[in-house]
Amino acid sequence: MMKKHLYILLSLVICSQSNAQNFDKLVEHFRNNNFVGFEVTPRDSISENSLYKSKDFNVSISKNPINFKVDTLVLKNPYYTDGFDDWDENYINFPKSFSVIYDENLISLFGNGKFLCHNLKDYSRNKQLENGLNSKKFKYHWVIDGKLYAKSKSILFSGLHQWNGAKWESAEIKIPVDEQSILLSDDKFIVYRKCSGEFGGTIYFFDRQSKETFFTESTCANTVIKKNGQYQILAHLGHMMGTSEIKVIDDPKKLTKAKSNQLRTKQGSLGYQDKSNEYSKELDLFGIQLFSTFEIENRRLFLANFNESTFLAEIDGKEIQIVNPLFNNDKYTHDPITKTYGTYTLINMDHYGTALDREVSVMIIKDNKITLIDWNENHSR
C-alpha cells in the first residue's frame, strides 16, 4: 500500500531560463529526435529556421517569440485515499469533474462529492468558500453565464443547484449534459462534445431557447471560440501520427437536428450522420496535434504537440512558428478542454494512463503568465 501523501501545496519549478537557452534545448531535442514518422531529417540540416519540414508544414522558431513567466505547481488532493487493491483504481484520487474558474478561484470537485478551492492570486486554499460549497455533496459542476452550478450527488434530493454567493439554491437552468464538461456557453447555445477517438467525435449545439440540439462531426473538439458571430472549433486526434483541424460554423441551426434517441448515444460517431456541409475548414493538418488555442495580445496561439515535445506556436499558412518552448518536455493529454473565464484561460488536461478520462493537470493563462498545475505529483516528463 502506498503511504498517504502530505496534503500541502508544493511549488516544484519556477522557470527562469531565457528564451534563447530554452530554444537551444528545443533545437537540440529535434536534432536528437530526427526520425519523425517515416522520415529522417539530417542532423546538420536542423536549425531554428527549420526544425522539421514536410510537404504539409515547416516547424521553426519564431522571429517574434513571447516571453511568458512559467510556473509549475503540484496541488494535493486533501481527500486522497489509498484504500484500493489495484493501482489502476488510483484514478479516484483525481478530480471527478473538470475544474472551473469562479470568482478568482480554481474550483475542483472530487469523487467523494466535496469541493476544493484555490485562490488564483497565490493558490492558497480558500477554506471559507470550501465550507460553503461543501454544505451539500455533488457529482459534477459547471460555470455558465458566470454562475456556478452543480449536480447533486444525493439520490433522494437529486437536481441542479446554483451557488448564490452564500448558499446553494435550486436552479431553473437547463444543462444538456449530466456528468461531462461543456466547451462553450453563450446567450444562444451550450456547446459540448462526445469523443470516441479514431471511431469518431461529435460536437453538439444545444439551443437554449428552443431546447433543440444540432450536431456535426468533430474528432475530437477541444476548444470552441466565438468570434465575429462564428463558432471556430479546434479538434485534434492522437491516433497514429495525429491530426488537427479547425471548422468554422456560421449558423449551428443549419446543422442536422438531433433526435431524442440520438442524444442518448454515448459514442461520438453520430457526427458522421450530419450531411448539411454547413461549415468551412480553416485548418487541416496531418502529423501534429493542436491541444488548445487562445489569444494573447491579439496573437492566436496554439498549444501544440509534435515530435514528443509540447510548445506554444503561431500558424501562418504552412509555417508553424514556435513562440515559446514552455517546459521543454512532452506534456501530453488525450482529450483536453479549453475555456475562457474573463481574463483567464483554463486548459483542463486528462491523461488516460494516469487517471483514465479524469483531469490530471490544468494550465492557467493570464496575460504573460502561465501556471501548470499537476494533481498529487509531477506528471511532466
Side-chain angles (χ1 to χ4, degrees), residues 4-10 74-82 92-96 99 106-118 123-127 130-131 134 373-377:
K4 288 191 176 180
H5 292 77
L6 291 173
Y7 302 117
I8 59 173
L9 172 64
L10 179 62
V74 169
L75 296 181
K76 301 292 186 178
N77 170 9
Y79 315 117
Y80 188 96
T81 177
D82 54 10
I92 65 176
N93 287 310
F94 292 84
K96 172 72 166 57
S99 298
L106 181 71
I107 312 291
S108 309
L109 178 66
F110 290 85
N112 62 354
K114 293 186 177 182
F115 286 98
L116 180 63
C117 306
H118 289 93
Y123 293 98
S124 59
R125 292 236 339 241
N126 186 341
K127 292 191 176 182
E130 277 181 28
N131 290 337
N134 288 331
I373 296 173
D374 287 335
W375 285 109
N376 300 326
E377 61 181 318

Side-chain angles (χ1 to χ4, degrees), residues 40-288:
V40 178
T41 304
R43 283 175 54 88
D44 56 5
S45 71
I46 295 175
S47 67
E48 290 192 0
N49 293 325
S50 185
L51 300 174
Y52 169 84
K53 189 171 185 177
S54 70
K55 63 181 179 62
D56 297 312
F57 56 85
N58 179 65
V59 181
S60 64
I61 304 298
S62 173
K63 303 296 185 185
N64 188 20
I66 301 178
N67 185 23
F68 285 98
K69 182 180 185 298
V70 181
D71 291 344
T72 305
L73 306 173
V74 169
L75 296 181
K76 301 292 186 178
N77 170 9
Y79 315 117
Y80 188 96
T81 177
D82 54 10
F84 47 81
D85 297 323
D86 189 338
W87 182 249
D88 288 343
E89 296 178 10
N90 185 47
Y91 72 87
I92 65 176
N93 287 310
F94 292 84
K96 172 72 166 57
S97 176
F98 273 14
S99 298
V100 301
I101 291 176
Y102 171 76
D103 194 24
E104 295 285 321
N105 288 271
L106 181 71
I107 312 291
S108 309
L109 178 66
F110 290 85
N112 62 354
K114 293 186 177 182
F115 286 98
L116 180 63
C117 306
H118 289 93
N119 190 307
L120 292 181
K121 293 180 180 179
D122 57 6
Y123 293 98
S124 59
R125 292 236 339 241
N126 186 341
K127 292 191 176 182
Q128 181 178 355
L129 179 57
E130 277 181 28
N131 290 337
L133 297 182
N134 288 331
S135 60
K136 298 179 184 293
K137 289 189 176 182
F138 297 95
K139 62 179 181 179
Y140 221 87
H141 72 312
W142 307 266
V143 167
I144 298 174
D145 304 327
K147 300 174 182 177
L148 179 63
Y149 295 94
K151 189 70 176 291
S152 176
K153 191 179 176 72
S154 170
I155 297 176
L156 295 177
F157 303 101
S158 61
L160 191 64
H161 293 75
Q162 175 188 329
W163 178 252
N164 68 6
K167 63 179 182 179
W168 290 105
E169 56 187 20
S170 295
E172 300 300 326
I173 189 175
K174 168 68 175 176
I175 298 179
V177 292
D178 185 30
E179 294 185 49
Q180 69 178 90
S181 296
I182 61 175
L183 288 157
L184 178 140
S185 60
D186 62 13
D187 58 336
K188 294 181 179 179
F189 299 99
I190 293 177
V191 187
Y192 63 101
R193 70 175 184 193
K194 290 182 182 178
C195 180
S196 298
E198 64 269 31
F199 300 105
T202 302
I203 187 163
Y204 299 85
F205 290 81
F206 171 75
D207 188 321
R208 300 179 69 172
Q209 183 174 4
S210 69
K211 310 301 187 230
E212 297 173 322
T213 301
F214 305 86
F215 70 91
T216 191
E217 183 272 335
S218 184
T219 310
C220 285
N222 58 51
T223 311
V224 179
I225 294 175
K226 188 178 182 182
K227 191 170 185 178
N228 300 324
Q230 298 177 315
Y231 295 87
Q232 303 173 357
I233 305 162
L234 173 65
H236 84 282
L237 179 64
H239 187 58
M240 298 182 69
M241 294 283 292
T243 59
S244 298
E245 69 172 19
I246 294 177
K247 283 183 175 179
V248 180
I249 298 174
D250 291 326
D251 185 359
K253 291 184 181 181
K254 292 183 178 180
L255 301 173
T256 300
K257 185 168 69 173
K259 300 175 183 177
S260 58
N261 63 313
Q262 291 176 318
L263 293 174
R264 292 192 291 270
T265 302
K266 293 183 178 181
Q267 289 72 32
S269 56
L270 177 64
Y272 293 121
Q273 297 185 34
D274 171 42
K275 306 300 181 184
S276 66
N277 291 319
E278 288 293 334
Y279 61 83
S280 59
K281 276 198 178 184
E282 181 181 301
L283 185 73
D284 197 359
L285 293 173
F286 175 79
I288 186 169

